[in-house]
Amino acid sequence: MSKHPLTQSNQWDEPEEDFVRPLSKAEMDALRQKDPKKFMSINGWVVVSSQIVLTLIIGTLCYFFGNATERSMYTYSAFVGGLIGFLPSALFLARLEVAKRSAISSPGGYLTAVVSGEFLKILATVLLFIAFALKQPDLKWIPLLVTYFLTLKCYLVVWVLR
């Protein structure tokens, strides 16, 4: 009595993964020297600075191209959107800077700082949206959201231009 042909072969099994050998420090250093651009990290403060500059540009454009009667509210709304975009990012980076300078610096401690910093960033973003929506009910949401969205895209632009 023969077994079913599929049970005899391994044709349905996943192919075995290639073995990945960890590189030594010398090998990593050689790779870094060969192509240092691949190993460059992005400075977070450059991202925040680009978010601020973009906010100023969009606010200025809203001032010059906005409706004459509501020009100041369009400009203000664009600045608020940019503020909601870059202020939480700056808080996150400040949290990471504190963790780097901490006397008890460990990978677990830094991971905790990243997670708590991200939580602060989300909380600050939500609270800023709620506070400005309640404080300024006449905000123009299109310039606010466009500026906010574009400040979030600064991460991608800085990463591509690195």
Side-chain angles (χ1 to χ4, degrees):
M1 181 173 175
S2 72
K3 291 184 176 180
H4 191 276
L6 292 179
T7 59
Q8 292 176 352
S9 68
N10 290 335
Q11 71 184 20
W12 292 104
D13 290 341
E14 294 289 325
E16 290 187 28
E17 294 182 25
D18 293 334
F19 176 73
V20 178
R21 182 181 61 84
L23 298 177
S24 68
K25 182 175 177 358
E27 291 170 324
M28 281 302 296
D29 289 339
L31 281 175
R32 282 189 188 103
Q33 288 176 354
K34 182 180 176 185
D35 194 2
K37 200 169 189 181
K38 284 185 180 177
F39 294 92
M40 276 181 28
S41 63
I42 298 171
N43 185 350
W45 294 109
V46 171
V47 174
V48 172
S49 299
S50 66
Q51 289 175 325
I52 293 170
V53 168
L54 183 66
T55 299
L56 293 173
I57 291 170
I58 294 173
T60 304
L61 289 174
C62 285
Y63 179 78
F64 285 117
F65 295 111
N67 187 358
T69 58
E70 295 185 4
R71 177 179 292 161
S72 63
M73 190 49 67
Y74 280 105
T75 305
Y76 178 75
S77 297
F79 285 140
V80 167
L83 178 77
I84 295 172
F86 71 77
L87 186 62
S89 299
L91 289 173
F92 176 75
L93 286 174
R95 174 69 182 108
L96 292 184
E97 291 292 327
V98 168
K100 281 183 191 176
R101 294 188 178 113
S102 174
I104 308 170
S105 183
S106 68
Y110 194 72
L111 179 61
T112 302
V114 169
V115 171
S116 65
E118 194 62 40
F119 176 75
L120 286 172
K121 184 177 173 181
I122 293 168
L123 183 66
T125 302
V126 169
L127 290 177
L128 284 169
F129 267 116
I130 291 171
F132 277 108
L134 293 176
K135 182 184 174 208
Q136 296 286 330
D138 55 341
L139 280 174
K140 302 299 179 195
W141 285 95
I142 298 291
L144 185 144
L145 291 174
V146 166
T147 308
Y148 174 72
F149 178 74
L150 291 176
T151 58
L152 292 182
K153 294 304 165 196
C154 282
Y155 291 100
L156 182 62
V157 171
V158 170
W159 179 74
V160 167
L161 294 178
R162 73 177 172 116

mmCIF file of all heavy atoms in Angstrom, residues 94-110 112-113:
data_model
loop_
_atom_site.group_PDB
_atom_site.id
_atom_site.type_symbol
_atom_site.label_atom_id
_atom_site.label_comp_id
_atom_site.label_asym_id
_atom_site.label_seq_id
_atom_site.Cartn_x
_atom_site.Cartn_y
_atom_site.Cartn_z
ATOM 1 N N ALA A 94 13.226 65.836 21.956
ATOM 2 C CA ALA A 94 13.736 66.256 23.267
ATOM 3 C C ALA A 94 13.733 65.077 24.235
ATOM 4 O O ALA A 94 14.675 64.910 25.025
ATOM 5 C CB ALA A 94 12.895 67.403 23.808
ATOM 6 N N ARG A 95 12.707 64.248 24.172
ATOM 7 C CA ARG A 95 12.632 63.067 25.026
ATOM 8 C C ARG A 95 13.780 62.107 24.713
ATOM 9 O O ARG A 95 14.394 61.531 25.614
ATOM 10 C CB ARG A 95 11.277 62.365 24.834
ATOM 11 C CG ARG A 95 11.131 61.053 25.562
ATOM 12 C CD ARG A 95 11.079 61.264 27.064
ATOM 13 N NE ARG A 95 10.980 60.013 27.755
ATOM 14 C CZ ARG A 95 11.969 59.461 28.471
ATOM 15 N NH1 ARG A 95 13.124 60.074 28.581
ATOM 16 N NH2 ARG A 95 11.806 58.307 29.070
ATOM 17 N N LEU A 96 14.097 61.938 23.445
ATOM 18 C CA LEU A 96 15.212 61.068 23.076
ATOM 19 C C LEU A 96 16.557 61.650 23.486
ATOM 20 O O LEU A 96 17.459 60.914 23.895
ATOM 21 C CB LEU A 96 15.194 60.797 21.573
ATOM 22 C CG LEU A 96 14.036 59.961 21.049
ATOM 23 C CD1 LEU A 96 14.212 59.694 19.562
ATOM 24 C CD2 LEU A 96 13.889 58.663 21.808
ATOM 25 N N GLU A 97 16.702 62.967 23.402
ATOM 26 C CA GLU A 97 17.947 63.608 23.827
ATOM 27 C C GLU A 97 18.174 63.418 25.321
ATOM 28 O O GLU A 97 19.290 63.174 25.757
ATOM 29 C CB GLU A 97 17.922 65.100 23.483
ATOM 30 C CG GLU A 97 17.980 65.395 21.999
ATOM 31 C CD GLU A 97 19.301 65.031 21.361
ATOM 32 O OE1 GLU A 97 20.351 65.132 22.039
ATOM 33 O OE2 GLU A 97 19.287 64.632 20.186
ATOM 34 N N VAL A 98 17.105 63.520 26.102
ATOM 35 C CA VAL A 98 17.212 63.301 27.546
ATOM 36 C C VAL A 98 17.632 61.863 27.814
ATOM 37 O O VAL A 98 18.469 61.602 28.681
ATOM 38 C CB VAL A 98 15.870 63.638 28.243
ATOM 39 C CG1 VAL A 98 15.849 63.144 29.672
ATOM 40 C CG2 VAL A 98 15.619 65.133 28.190
ATOM 41 N N ALA A 99 17.071 60.920 27.073
ATOM 42 C CA ALA A 99 17.419 59.510 27.262
ATOM 43 C C ALA A 99 18.874 59.244 26.883
ATOM 44 O O ALA A 99 19.549 58.441 27.528
ATOM 45 C CB ALA A 99 16.488 58.629 26.448
ATOM 46 N N LYS A 100 19.372 59.904 25.837
ATOM 47 C CA LYS A 100 20.768 59.707 25.433
ATOM 48 C C LYS A 100 21.728 60.212 26.499
ATOM 49 O O LYS A 100 22.779 59.625 26.733
ATOM 50 C CB LYS A 100 21.056 60.452 24.125
ATOM 51 C CG LYS A 100 20.572 59.763 22.898
ATOM 52 C CD LYS A 100 20.975 60.570 21.675
ATOM 53 C CE LYS A 100 20.301 60.077 20.425
ATOM 54 N NZ LYS A 100 20.611 60.919 19.275
ATOM 55 N N ARG A 101 21.381 61.316 27.127
ATOM 56 C CA ARG A 101 22.266 61.932 28.120
ATOM 57 C C ARG A 101 22.086 61.354 29.518
ATOM 58 O O ARG A 101 22.769 61.759 30.437
ATOM 59 C CB ARG A 101 22.026 63.434 28.143
ATOM 60 C CG ARG A 101 22.443 64.094 26.857
ATOM 61 C CD ARG A 101 22.393 65.591 26.951
ATOM 62 N NE ARG A 101 22.855 66.175 25.710
ATOM 63 C CZ ARG A 101 22.105 66.859 24.876
ATOM 64 N NH1 ARG A 101 20.843 67.065 25.162
ATOM 65 N NH2 ARG A 101 22.601 67.348 23.774
ATOM 66 N N SER A 102 21.150 60.442 29.648
ATOM 67 C CA SER A 102 20.856 59.857 30.953
ATOM 68 C C SER A 102 22.059 59.071 31.467
ATOM 69 O O SER A 102 22.800 58.458 30.705
ATOM 70 C CB SER A 102 19.640 58.938 30.848
ATOM 71 O OG SER A 102 19.425 58.274 32.054
ATOM 72 N N ALA A 103 22.245 59.096 32.784
ATOM 73 C CA ALA A 103 23.359 58.370 33.387
ATOM 74 C C ALA A 103 23.173 56.864 33.232
ATOM 75 O O ALA A 103 24.137 56.124 33.099
ATOM 76 C CB ALA A 103 23.471 58.730 34.863
ATOM 77 N N ILE A 104 21.938 56.409 33.268
ATOM 78 C CA ILE A 104 21.643 54.989 33.115
ATOM 79 C C ILE A 104 21.213 54.760 31.671
ATOM 80 O O ILE A 104 20.031 54.694 31.357
ATOM 81 C CB ILE A 104 20.532 54.546 34.088
ATOM 82 C CG1 ILE A 104 20.875 54.962 35.500
ATOM 83 C CG2 ILE A 104 20.312 53.050 33.991
ATOM 84 C CD1 ILE A 104 19.735 54.790 36.474
ATOM 85 N N SER A 105 22.179 54.667 30.797
ATOM 86 C CA SER A 105 21.886 54.507 29.376
ATOM 87 C C SER A 105 22.023 53.039 29.010
ATOM 88 O O SER A 105 23.100 52.468 29.092
ATOM 89 C CB SER A 105 22.836 55.354 28.544
ATOM 90 O OG SER A 105 22.507 55.253 27.194
ATOM 91 N N SER A 106 20.915 52.447 28.622
ATOM 92 C CA SER A 106 20.918 51.055 28.201
ATOM 93 C C SER A 106 19.973 50.923 27.016
ATOM 94 O O SER A 106 19.121 51.783 26.803
ATOM 95 C CB SER A 106 20.466 50.152 29.341
ATOM 96 O OG SER A 106 19.106 50.376 29.626
ATOM 97 N N PRO A 107 20.105 49.851 26.263
ATOM 98 C CA PRO A 107 19.170 49.668 25.140
ATOM 99 C C PRO A 107 17.715 49.619 25.598
ATOM 100 O O PRO A 107 16.837 50.174 24.952
ATOM 101 C CB PRO A 107 19.609 48.333 24.529
ATOM 102 C CG PRO A 107 21.031 48.178 24.906
ATOM 103 C CD PRO A 107 21.159 48.834 26.246
ATOM 104 N N GLY A 108 17.449 48.975 26.720
ATOM 105 C CA GLY A 108 16.079 48.919 27.231
ATOM 106 C C GLY A 108 15.571 50.281 27.654
ATOM 107 O O GLY A 108 14.412 50.632 27.438
ATOM 108 N N GLY A 109 16.456 51.063 28.256
ATOM 109 C CA GLY A 109 16.078 52.414 28.657
ATOM 110 C C GLY A 109 15.808 53.308 27.465
ATOM 111 O O GLY A 109 14.887 54.124 27.481
ATOM 112 N N TYR A 110 16.607 53.135 26.419
ATOM 113 C CA TYR A 110 16.388 53.934 25.214
ATOM 114 C C TYR A 110 15.099 53.514 24.512
ATOM 115 O O TYR A 110 14.369 54.357 24.007
ATOM 116 C CB TYR A 110 17.594 53.805 24.272
ATOM 117 C CG TYR A 110 17.590 54.837 23.185
ATOM 118 C CD1 TYR A 110 17.876 56.168 23.467
ATOM 119 C CD2 TYR A 110 17.290 54.500 21.879
ATOM 120 C CE1 TYR A 110 17.860 57.134 22.479
ATOM 121 C CE2 TYR A 110 17.273 55.453 20.882
ATOM 122 C CZ TYR A 110 17.565 56.764 21.189
ATOM 123 O OH TYR A 110 17.538 57.716 20.209
ATOM 124 N N THR A 112 12.487 52.347 25.993
ATOM 125 C CA THR A 112 11.430 52.945 26.807
ATOM 126 C C THR A 112 11.246 54.416 26.456
ATOM 127 O O THR A 112 10.125 54.912 26.385
ATOM 128 C CB THR A 112 11.768 52.788 28.299
ATOM 129 O OG1 THR A 112 11.925 51.412 28.592
ATOM 130 C CG2 THR A 112 10.691 53.386 29.180
ATOM 131 N N ALA A 113 12.351 55.112 26.229
ATOM 132 C CA ALA A 113 12.276 56.526 25.855
ATOM 133 C C ALA A 113 11.604 56.697 24.494
ATOM 134 O O ALA A 113 10.819 57.630 24.303
ATOM 135 C CB ALA A 113 13.676 57.137 25.838
#
